[in-house]
Amino acid sequence: MIESAMEALRIVLDPSRILFMCLGIGLGIVVGLLPGLGGTVGMSLLLPFVFGMDPFVGMALLIGMVAVVHTGDTFPSVLLGIPGSSGSQATIMDGFPLAKKGEASRAMGAALFCSMIGGVIGGVALYLAIPIAAPLITSFNSPVLFMLTMLGLSMAGLLAGDSPAKGALSGLMGLMIGSVGSAPAITEYRYTFDFLYLSNGLSLPVVALAIFAFPILITMLTHKGSVAEANRLKGGVLKGVGDALKNKFLIMRSAVLGSLIGFIPGLGGSVVDWLAYGAGKKTVRNNKFGEGDIRGVIAPESANNAKEGGSLIPTLLFGIPGSGTTAILLGGLILMGLEAGPRMLTTELPLTLSIVWTLVIANIIGAILCMTLVKPISKLSLIPGEKLVPFLTILLLIGAYQSNFAWGDIIAFIAIGLLGYIMTILDWPRPPLLIGFVLAISAERYYWISIERYGWEWLSNPIVITIGVLIVMLLTGGSIMKKISNNLQREGV
């Protein structure tokens, strides 16, 4: 295992792959920096460009972005009091009050350093999970793989926040959209409406771009003006790093909590920061959380980056995406000719280990880069939204068109994009739709293989029954944790 890890490190340090990793890091910082975008939009922007890429290069680009989105989103949270993404909401509670006191740089220094440490711990958690999961996952047959797919689909309810029913319906819509075109087990075409373009199904990049990025364009146009007023920064980045070092045990506790929460599919960034913040408040003595306590920044920032390493465990090893970002990452694997599951621990083990190294290295580079550029990079948050729309529109249209080089891609992009915008108006969750779309073909394929090989006897398989019970437990436990997180948020923990 250690020899394989060293070989993966050699592959990652290849200059061409380092270049793409740095490109992903730069884009991830910018995406996190601009409120309203977030990891799902950023990943969907990159997805069309990884089609046909060398897997090591493509994953360097994607993981580079995943690793640092929650590093970049610290800027608007601390400087402007606006969450850069769902994973930086709790940071506002103490980060913004510190900025009002003229200690924004101190808060930024602590937050960025903790994000780096948390990301490294998340990468270590992913590495340690590989030898444990390897003997288990390589023994899975088609019924077990089908149930694992169902486990991924069941996460749709958890991703819906307070409305599991909306999440389930959103996931079903994703299944329907994913079933357009030729059926994997029978010789027929479904939902094509006699359009030749639809016979091969809809493209994953088109759906991802449309469902996440298109609504943002409309929002930027309707909410004119700058994101926020200018904020001035004072010295103190190194002081913030010193504060973090003084609270090393809080960093470790929060990062481990973030990795564990990330491992549970369906929870993700909107929960982990509040749980870490609440746990920090309960365990830190003489705290003044909510009034500008630096420890109120350290706890959530240590957890949200560590969560990424934990969330990659079910995504890569079991094919279970627990969020929109990991669903897009799973789609990226498909576009590069790979499939999550047993292959990631056997023939593709070097790629899996390269992801671990990329996650660790990207977190370190991203944090150091942000610390160096605290003052100039903060000015990007002041760009008016409408000025970004033309650039993003061109980028999105090019990304959609290059999927199949067909005008149908543009039409599908607009149609599904309007559906995504309607979902935002009605407060329907969009990540479950993408998860349903990504897993639609796999679910149907594993189902028919199971029926053909085992009839209905596979339902009595002990592992199948265990996964079924696990689905019920996760849905129940996840709902309880969501309620706890919402209570903490309402109370301003």
Side-chain angles (χ1 to χ4, degrees), residues 205-290:
V206 171
V207 175
L209 287 171
I211 206 68
F212 288 112
F214 186 90
I216 295 296
L217 295 180
I218 300 178
T219 303
M220 285 182 171
L221 288 174
T222 54
H223 295 79
K224 294 185 177 181
S226 299
V227 172
E229 298 177 358
N231 287 267
R232 298 187 64 181
L233 293 173
K234 298 180 180 180
V237 172
L238 293 180
K239 184 179 179 182
V241 174
D243 290 325
L245 292 173
K246 293 176 184 177
N247 292 277
K248 51 184 176 295
F249 294 112
L250 176 60
I251 295 175
M252 292 296 296
R253 290 197 304 270
S254 301
V256 170
L257 176 63
S259 297
L260 293 174
I261 297 299
F263 178 74
I264 302 174
L267 295 186
S270 59
V271 171
V272 67
D273 63 326
W274 285 109
L275 292 180
Y277 188 83
K281 185 174 182 179
K282 302 298 182 184
T283 56
V284 172
R285 295 179 180 178
N286 303 320
N287 71 77
K288 295 183 179 180
F289 278 33

Side-chain angles (χ1 to χ4, degrees), residues 394-418:
I394 294 173
L395 189 63
L396 293 175
L397 291 176
I398 292 174
Y401 182 75
Q402 79 164 12
S403 296
N404 297 301
F405 295 100
W407 289 108
D409 290 327
I410 304 297
I411 298 173
F413 170 74
I414 296 173
I416 299 175
L418 290 173

Side-chain angles (χ1 to χ4, degrees), residues 80-237:
L80 314 173
I82 301 172
S85 69
S86 61
S88 63
Q89 297 174 28
T91 305
I92 295 175
M93 299 299 294
D94 288 275
F96 193 51
L98 282 167
K100 289 181 177 179
K101 295 177 181 179
E103 297 183 281
S105 292
R106 178 192 175 197
M108 289 299 305
L112 295 172
F113 182 80
C114 293
S115 293
M116 178 181 71
I117 300 300
V120 171
I121 292 175
V124 171
L126 176 58
Y127 176 77
L128 295 176
I130 291 173
I132 298 173
L136 175 65
I137 195 172
T138 51
S139 64
F140 289 167
N141 53 18
S142 57
V144 175
L145 292 172
F146 170 73
M147 288 302 295
L148 287 174
T149 307
M150 291 297 100
L151 178 61
L153 289 172
S154 69
M155 295 304 104
L158 290 180
L159 291 174
D162 298 327
S163 181
K166 289 182 179 180
L169 291 174
S170 179
L172 289 175
M173 281 195 292
L175 282 175
M176 290 184 62
I177 296 174
S179 64
V180 171
S182 59
I186 50 180
T187 55
E188 69 176 28
Y189 292 91
R190 301 168 300 192
Y191 312 123
T192 60
F193 307 104
D194 296 326
F195 288 107
L196 182 63
Y197 168 77
L198 295 176
S199 61
N200 290 325
L202 292 170
S203 170
L204 174 62
V206 171
V207 175
L209 287 171
I211 206 68
F212 288 112
F214 186 90
I216 295 296
L217 295 180
I218 300 178
T219 303
M220 285 182 171
L221 288 174
T222 54
H223 295 79
K224 294 185 177 181
S226 299
V227 172
E229 298 177 358
N231 287 267
R232 298 187 64 181
L233 293 173
K234 298 180 180 180
V237 172

Side-chain angles (χ1 to χ4, degrees), residues 372-453:
T372 306
L373 302 175
V374 163
K375 289 186 179 180
I377 206 171
S378 63
K379 296 178 182 178
L380 294 178
S381 295
L382 308 177
I383 299 176
E386 64 268 21
K387 291 186 178 180
L388 294 174
V389 170
F391 168 74
L392 290 176
T393 300
I394 294 173
L395 189 63
L396 293 175
L397 291 176
I398 292 174
Y401 182 75
Q402 79 164 12
S403 296
N404 297 301
F405 295 100
W407 289 108
D409 290 327
I410 304 297
I411 298 173
F413 170 74
I414 296 173
I416 299 175
L418 290 173
L419 171 64
Y421 182 65
I422 293 172
M423 291 176 72
T424 60
I425 294 175
L426 299 177
D427 195 27
W428 278 52
R430 290 169 291 163
L433 187 148
L434 187 63
I435 289 176
F437 179 82
V438 169
L439 296 180
I441 299 299
S442 297
E444 188 171 5
R445 181 172 67 248
Y446 290 138
Y447 172 77
W448 284 110
I449 292 175
S450 300
I451 293 296
E452 290 175 1
R453 288 184 179 179

Side-chain angles (χ1 to χ4, degrees), residues 44-63:
S44 63
L45 288 171
L46 288 183
L47 199 59
F49 301 100
V50 303
F51 179 76
M53 263 190 180
D54 170 62
F56 289 97
V57 174
M59 293 311 293
L61 181 64
L62 293 175
I63 298 297

